[in-house]
């Protein structure tokens, strides 16, 4: 079967939030994309003491200045579409009060007719934690665990009751309830995170770092799931951060998912061959405006389908 292709919505500073999100969402649904996705970035520190993704010396991209709120963006997309999935890749759990986030996701699922896909993670930016987190960076895994507990409680039957480190819910009616169980996706690299993934999540959300690396990671995740007695299938949505170029990028200068439409589709094909069922393609960063994003997204989608991806 062809891989399910998703598209990142326009959130970065070159886009007009109120106009462009709806336009891109409608166009993506019409072309055939299976899902729309948002990411979370709340600030850009100056000077940046910590490199991008925690990698020393790696600069933060200019388009991260002024990233739109992910749930506001998804709400705009929900109102402009009818069937396409609405996913988060990812919400940084410790930047949110667990009870409030669980209710917001449930309400969005109801408003959209049951289309929400909840990608949740722990983040990496110490500056974001210092500005907005509900617990210190060192407690990030515990906060994610509590958020998963709270979501399960809030999305489940009434009366809802929960007692945790951050959250106390005395027996209460909490609504609205999601239309269906909201699928939860988690990124995972280290052993503890992979155990959380196979024990508690519906799907895995890795970042593309090469087809061979993905295949090895995916084997390890499946092996861990088998060792821990997981019986349910584990979904996968690969995040591919792309940089489109109107002309092909020459050999040594080309990075993964960086280049012309044909080059991006070549990388899509290599990653799809590993067997992952979903790939999220985020093209928004270097593009000029929503019109170019719509055109490039349509060209990539049609080229991929023509190639049998």
């Amino acid at each position: 079967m062809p891989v399910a292709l998703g598209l990142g919505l326009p959130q970065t500073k070159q886009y007009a939030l109120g106009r462009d999100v709806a336009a891109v969402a409608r166009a993506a649904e019409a072309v055939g994309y299976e899902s729309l996705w948002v990411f979370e970035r709340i600030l850009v520190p100056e000077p940046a003491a910590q490199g991008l993704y925690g990698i020393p010396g790696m600069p933060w991209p200019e388009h991260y200045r002024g990233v739109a709120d992910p749930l506001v963006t998804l709400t705009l997309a929900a109102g402009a579409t009818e069937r396409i999935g609405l996913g988060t890749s990812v919400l940084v759990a410790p930047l949110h009060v667990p009870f409030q986030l669980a209710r917001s996701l449930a309400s969005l699922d109801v408003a959209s007719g049951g289309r929400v896909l909840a990608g949740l993670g722990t983040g990496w930016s110490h500056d974001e934690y210092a500005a907005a987190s509900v617990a210190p960076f060192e407690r990030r895994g515990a906060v994610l665990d509590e958020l998963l507990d709270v979501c399960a409680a809030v999305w489940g039957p009434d009366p809802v009751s929960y007692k945790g480190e951050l959250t106390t819910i005395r027996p209460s009616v909490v609504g609205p309830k999601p239309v269906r169980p909201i699928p939860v996706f988690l990124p995972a690299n280290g052993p503890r995170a992979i155990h959380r993934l196979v024990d508690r999540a519906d799907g895995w959300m890795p970042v593309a770092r090469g087809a061979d690396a993905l295949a090895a990671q995916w084997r390890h995740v499946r092996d861990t799931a088998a060792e821990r007695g997981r019986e349910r299938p584990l979904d996968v949505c690969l995040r591919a951060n792309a940089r489109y170029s109107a002309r092909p990028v020459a050999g040594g200068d080309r990075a993964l998912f960086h280049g012309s439409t044909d080059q991006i589709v070549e990388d899509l094909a290599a990653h799809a061959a590993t067997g992952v069922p979903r790939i999220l393609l985020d093209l928004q960063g270097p593009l000029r405006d929503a019109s170019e994003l719509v055109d490039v997204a349509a060209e990539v989608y049609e080229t991929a389908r023509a190639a049998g991806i």
Side-chain angles (χ1 to χ4, degrees):
M1 291 182 61
V3 68
L5 291 176
L7 181 69
L9 284 167
Q11 292 174 263
T12 51
K13 68 176 190 174
Q14 69 268 45
Y15 301 103
L17 183 66
R19 178 191 67 211
D20 292 345
V21 171
V24 171
R26 283 192 292 264
E29 185 171 66
V31 166
Y33 278 94
E34 180 262 351
S35 51
L36 298 165
W37 296 82
V38 290
F39 72 104
E40 185 157 47
R41 184 91 294 122
I42 65 170
L43 53 75
V44 174
E46 288 190 330
Q50 185 186 21
L52 184 67
Y53 309 132
I55 301 171
M58 188 172 183
W60 293 51
E62 181 66 22
H63 63 261
Y64 274 8
R65 297 176 183 273
V67 174
D69 178 270
L71 293 184
V72 171
T73 304
L74 275 190
T75 301
L76 291 169
T81 56
E82 296 180 357
R83 59 163 182 80
I84 197 165
L86 304 166
T88 62
S89 175
V90 296
L91 297 179
V92 181
L95 303 184
H96 300 268
V97 174
F99 180 77
Q100 293 178 353
L101 181 57
R103 288 201 67 246
S104 294
L105 290 169
S107 294
L108 180 58
D109 193 64
V110 172
S112 65
R115 293 188 276 150
V116 171
L117 306 164
L120 306 170
T122 56
W124 53 268
S125 171
H126 293 277
D127 292 283
E128 290 186 333
Y129 271 76
S133 70
V134 298
F137 187 79
E138 294 73 23
R139 298 287 298 157
R140 61 195 183 279
V143 176
L144 177 54
D145 285 332
E146 180 156 326
L147 174 59
L148 295 174
D149 289 341
V150 171
C151 285
V154 169
W155 298 344
D158 293 321
V160 173
S161 179
Y162 181 79
K163 175 65 177 176
E165 183 178 344
L166 299 169
T167 311
T168 298
I169 310 171
R170 301 186 187 280
S172 305
V173 174
V174 181
K177 301 297 183 184
V179 173
R180 87 295 188 225
I182 295 176
V184 172
F185 286 75
L186 299 176
N189 292 308
R192 186 177 299 178
I194 292 175
H195 290 171
R196 179 188 293 116
L197 166 69
V198 301
D199 292 347
R200 309 202 60 185
D202 300 289
W204 178 43
M205 186 162 277
V207 176
R209 294 189 175 92
D212 290 343
L214 174 64
Q217 285 179 296
W218 185 212
R219 282 195 300 271
H220 178 58
V221 168
R222 292 198 305 268
D223 288 346
T224 305
E227 291 168 3
R228 296 178 73 83
R230 182 186 174 107
E231 296 181 354
R232 290 185 299 136
L234 190 65
D235 201 350
V236 184
C237 181
L238 175 73
R239 182 180 182 90
N241 297 313
R243 292 184 61 83
Y244 167 78
S245 172
R247 297 180 179 179
V249 176
D253 297 326
R254 193 172 97 81
L256 195 63
F257 289 98
H258 179 191
S260 65
T261 296
D262 287 343
Q263 289 174 322
I264 290 172
V265 170
E266 179 182 318
D267 289 336
L268 279 173
H271 287 76
T274 66
V276 298
R278 301 171 183 257
I279 299 178
L280 149 63
L281 192 63
D282 197 331
L283 292 155
Q284 67 181 299
L287 300 184
R288 292 188 308 271
D289 54 30
S291 177
E292 186 177 26
L293 176 55
V294 166
D295 290 345
V296 171
E299 184 178 348
V300 169
Y301 184 89
E302 290 162 0
T303 304
R305 290 306 188 224
I309 301 171

